[in-house]
Amino acid sequence: MTLKAHILLGAPGSGKGTQAKRLVDTFALTHLSTGDILRDAVSKGTEIGLKAKAIMAEGKLVDDDTVNGLVFARLLDETRDVLFDGYPRTLQQAKALEDFLSSKGLELGMVVNVDVPQDVLEARVVGRRVCSNNACGAIYHLASKPPKQSGICDLCGSPLKHRSDDTAEAFRSRMGEFNSTFQPLLGFYRTRPTFRSVDGHRAPELVFDSLRQIFGARA
Ligand SMILES: [Zn+2]
């Protein structure tokens, strides 16, 4: 049987990571996130892993070619179908993956975008409040998970704070940057026959039902 590489796409905050974990458990896939692959290669001390480590030590983003090299090495070790989460991140990575798969006789599987409107993502971020006591770190949301007493942590009684990363301005700036690489990537995959989009603005259980149907029906 030909190994297939499935891909889950989505913006930060779309709930993609949670859904990926459930999918790999349900369908016996190998979960491959770029972060895990990087950490794994660094800890094994492979040549490309050491290169990635040096780049990260300088506080830089690991370049596409290095990420691709790490991912491809991992893919060749796999015996089960894989689910990528956070890879490909750029159009260059997507094209390189396609070339790699066809050169090895592997197949692109399902490519599923967990679609959440940007204003919904913004509301999720902007309503977030965190406990100011670092040892506690409890997270609340003004709409979906309010504290019992306004502005006070239920667990430790410390004041809640609104992080500077969680303001609308910070969110819009991050999303602008994200979309400049994500939209071309999405455009590339939209034309593929195995591309699907699911409505991610629903309860996680319902989003997972849609994903289960898509992955359950895959050839
Ligand atoms: Zn607390």
Side-chain angles (χ1 to χ4, degrees):
M1 212 180 81
T2 310
L3 182 141
K4 285 193 176 123
H6 305 287
I7 299 170
L8 204 55
L9 300 171
S14 63
K16 159 178 77 76
T18 308
Q19 299 293 345
K21 288 195 183 80
R22 295 194 61 180
L23 279 174
V24 298
D25 289 344
T26 305
F27 293 104
L29 306 168
T30 298
H31 187 195
L32 290 184
S33 82
T34 315
D36 289 344
I37 294 171
L38 277 170
R39 278 186 290 275
D40 188 43
V42 168
S43 74
K44 280 184 182 149
T46 61
E47 189 182 336
I48 195 156
L50 292 173
K51 187 181 162 199
K53 186 181 179 179
I55 295 169
M56 288 188 288
E58 290 175 36
K60 291 183 189 156
L61 205 63
V62 181
D63 59 280
D64 285 342
D65 288 339
T66 306
V67 172
N68 290 335
L70 287 167
V71 169
F72 299 162
R74 262 307 286 276
L75 214 42
L76 290 177
D77 284 342
E78 292 299 334
T79 51
R80 303 194 299 185
D81 287 358
V82 306
L83 179 67
F84 283 121
D85 165 17
Y87 179 88
R89 199 182 58 81
T90 66
L91 186 59
Q92 194 273 6
Q93 290 179 2
K95 288 177 173 168
L97 175 65
E98 192 157 275
D99 290 345
F100 177 79
L101 292 175
S102 64
S103 75
K104 299 292 175 191
L106 309 176
E107 272 180 44
L108 179 69
M110 301 307 302
V111 182
V112 185
N113 182 40
V114 179
D115 186 36
V116 181
Q118 189 152 329
D119 58 332
V120 174
L121 291 174
E122 182 172 321
R124 286 181 185 174
V125 167
V126 172
R128 194 185 290 152
R129 295 293 180 275
V130 297
C131 178
S132 58
N133 170 9
N134 288 335
C136 170
I139 299 172
Y140 299 85
H141 192 279
L142 296 182
S144 59
K145 195 194 169 199
K148 291 195 181 79
Q149 192 185 341
S150 174
I152 302 292
C153 179
D154 293 348
L155 301 179
C156 73
S158 302
L160 300 182
K161 65 175 179 185
H162 191 198
R163 287 189 302 213
S164 57
D165 278 356
D166 293 344
T167 61
E169 296 70 33
F171 169 83
R172 285 175 194 169
S173 152
R174 279 200 304 278
M175 279 308 286
E177 214 168 294
F178 171 77
N179 276 320
S180 67
T181 46
F182 185 67
Q183 293 305 328
L185 181 69
L186 198 56
F188 176 79
Y189 281 125
R190 266 190 201 289
T191 62
R192 298 301 183 270
T194 57
F195 178 84
R196 304 284 184 280
S197 190
V198 297
D199 175 5
H201 181 209
R202 292 177 297 161
E205 197 57 42
L206 297 177
V207 177
F208 185 69
D209 281 347
S210 299
L211 290 169
R212 186 163 45 198
Q213 279 178 23
I214 289 170
F215 280 82
R218 74 194 197 276

